[in-house]
């Protein structure tokens, strides 16, 4: 059977090699398309039995061209790029690879935070993380890694996640919160790890940003869609102490950068999970999951209903 690996953002070389080895050893055939166009995607998916993607958009129109497709594995955590309903109605199983790239994302949180606290390394006196408080919004795999690293910096940590029991956070030395307003008003830094869903889209904006203590830093390595960009822009206009760092360029990036040059930072391309280690872990896990599904219907990380 054919497993198509289609990634706009290529995996590290060692990862693609390991993916190829796993697929070849299983007796399946690999087609690897890196940095391809939508047209390339449509062409390659026609005879694919399995598909591995990253943030690449998989919609109803694309699946229309994939009559043989049985499984899609998102090599990573967030699957908001995949139309689950469109997959379900065609009997296609969709899985993600939870936890495989979360350390990489968590490390980037601190990479961006330190850069901002040291004034983007311009030589001016900055500030330290030790003794400061960090609010983690969603205590999943990335949030937990962020908490682990924050402890090493000597930070106080609070988290909000309605799906995680207080005891789980307490066991990690994290104070559980139950109100989003508290998360923003009580913490010098707030790090977002919520998925982009109908419930979360556009929910982080003016009101929450305005609650942050003086010199607050909002960190977004989740999804740009969770931000109300106009609202956040207004908050940064009214509060010259607030800062925003994000691994996902906002739609209004130019406007933000022009107006608040020293107080915002955006990576040019989403790169939280773009490390050799994360590529390897998520890529190989995705390959193994696709192989196991095609062989014996293994579906431990299935995220859609069939
Ligand atoms: C994820 O959801 O796993 C991360 O956002 C990484 O996405 P990427 O594969 O596009 O780097």
């Amino acid at each position: 059977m054919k497993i198509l690996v289609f990634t706009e953002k290529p995996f590290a070389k060692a990862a693609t090699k390991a993916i190829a080895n796993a697929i070849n050893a299983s007796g399946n055939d690999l087609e690897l398309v890196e940095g391809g166009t939508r047209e390339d995607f449509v062409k390659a998916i026609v005879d694919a039995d399995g598909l591995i993607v990253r943030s690449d958009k998989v919609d109803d129109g694309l699946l229309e061209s994939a009559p043989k497709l049985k499984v899609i594995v998102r090599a990573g955590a967030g699957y908001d790029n995949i139309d689950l309903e469109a997959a379900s109605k065609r009997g296609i199983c969709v899985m993600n690879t939870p936890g495989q790239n979360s350390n990489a994302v968590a490390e980037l949180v601190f990479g961006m935070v330190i850069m901002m606290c040291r004034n983007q390394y311009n030589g001016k006196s900055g500030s330290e993380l030790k003794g400061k408080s960090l609010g983690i919004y969603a205590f999943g795999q990335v949030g937990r890694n962020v908490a682990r690293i924050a402890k090493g910096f000597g930070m106080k940590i609070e988290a909000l996640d309605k799906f995680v029991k207080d005891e789980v956070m307490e066991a990690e030395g994290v104070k559980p919160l139950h109100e989003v307003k508290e998360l923003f008003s009580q913490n010098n830094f707030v790090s977002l790890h919520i998925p982009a869903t109908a419930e979360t889209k556009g929910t982080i904006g003016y009101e929450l940003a305005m609650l942050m203590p003086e010199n607050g830093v909002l960190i977004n390595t989740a999804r740009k869609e969770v931000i109300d960009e106009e609202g956040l822009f207004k908050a940064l206009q009214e509060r010259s102490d607030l800062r925003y760092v994000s691994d996902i360029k906002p739609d209004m990036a130019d406007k933000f950068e022009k107006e608040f040059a020293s107080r915002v930072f955006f990576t040019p391309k989403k790169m939280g999970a773009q490390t050799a280690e994360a590529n390897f872990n998520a890529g190989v896990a995705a390959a193994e999951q696709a192989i196991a599904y095609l062989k014996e219907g293994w579906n431990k990380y299935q995220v859609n209903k069939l």
Side-chain angles (χ1 to χ4, degrees), residues 39-302:
E39 216 181 6
D40 299 328
F41 205 172
V42 171
K43 223 184 268 172
I45 207 168
V46 169
D47 58 346
D49 299 280
L51 171 67
I52 294 171
V53 288
R54 295 183 64 176
S55 297
D56 310 277
K57 207 168 176 50
V58 179
D59 55 26
D60 198 33
L62 181 82
L63 294 179
E64 199 57 49
S65 314
K68 292 179 71 187
L69 199 64
K70 297 158 192 69
V71 61
I72 302 170
V73 187
R74 194 286 192 229
Y79 44 86
D80 47 308
N81 52 316
I82 299 171
D83 184 337
L84 297 186
E85 240 173 71
S88 296
K89 78 178 181 206
R90 293 178 173 84
I92 301 168
C93 166
V94 181
M95 288 188 268
N96 65 351
T97 64
Q100 301 290 354
N101 59 15
S102 44
N103 179 64
V105 179
E107 287 189 10
L108 186 70
V109 167
F110 292 92
M112 293 197 296
V113 162
I114 290 177
M115 190 183 68
M116 195 43 81
C117 289
R118 296 302 181 101
N119 303 312
Q120 308 203 29
Y121 310 122
N122 70 358
K124 287 193 187 144
S125 186
S127 59
E128 300 179 22
L129 303 188
K130 189 175 175 190
K132 304 286 180 353
S133 60
L134 169 70
I136 301 175
Y137 195 2
F139 204 62
Q141 305 267 8
V142 182
R144 284 167 214 219
N145 274 289
V146 168
R148 172 181 55 78
I149 299 168
K151 266 184 250 166
F153 279 108
M155 302 181 87
K156 290 177 236 149
I157 313 160
E158 301 186 334
L160 173 71
D161 192 325
K162 66 179 176 189
F163 301 106
V164 177
K165 289 200 174 102
D166 287 3
E167 304 87 88
V168 173
M169 295 186 194
E170 281 157 358
E172 304 287 329
V174 173
K175 183 179 169 197
L177 297 180
H178 303 101
E179 290 293 333
V180 68
K181 285 185 176 169
E182 283 180 341
L183 189 81
F184 280 78
S185 64
Q186 293 173 188
N187 287 289
N188 305 107
F189 303 90
V190 173
S191 190
L192 305 176
H193 302 292
I194 46 177
T197 62
E199 201 188 329
T200 64
K201 281 182 185 169
T203 54
I204 313 294
Y206 181 78
E207 270 180 42
L208 291 175
M210 289 300 281
L211 291 176
M212 292 194 79
E214 202 180 347
N215 296 322
V217 181
L218 176 64
I219 307 125
N220 183 9
T221 54
R223 291 291 182 268
K224 75 173 178 192
E225 290 84 358
V226 303
I227 303 288
D228 162 15
E229 294 187 14
E230 294 283 356
L232 183 61
F233 189 87
K234 187 166 172 244
L236 264 77
Q237 251 174 344
E238 286 180 26
R239 293 256 318 258
S240 62
D241 60 307
L242 285 182
R243 290 165 290 172
Y244 179 49
V245 291
S246 177
D247 185 31
I248 319 98
K249 247 186 196 295
D251 292 334
M252 290 167 53
D254 291 350
K255 224 175 144 192
F256 272 92
E257 281 165 345
K258 199 167 162 225
E259 185 103 1
F260 317 116
S262 61
R263 294 191 284 133
V264 295
F265 172 77
F266 310 126
T267 53
K269 198 169 217 181
K270 184 152 77 88
M271 54 172 291
Q274 196 62 326
T275 66
E277 294 87 344
N279 285 175
F280 192 93
N281 295 341
V284 173
E288 282 168 356
Q289 290 176 213
I291 293 164
Y293 184 83
L294 292 175
K295 188 175 173 206
E296 56 204 7
W298 186 95
N299 64 348
K300 183 167 174 193
Y301 299 121
Q302 185 168 332

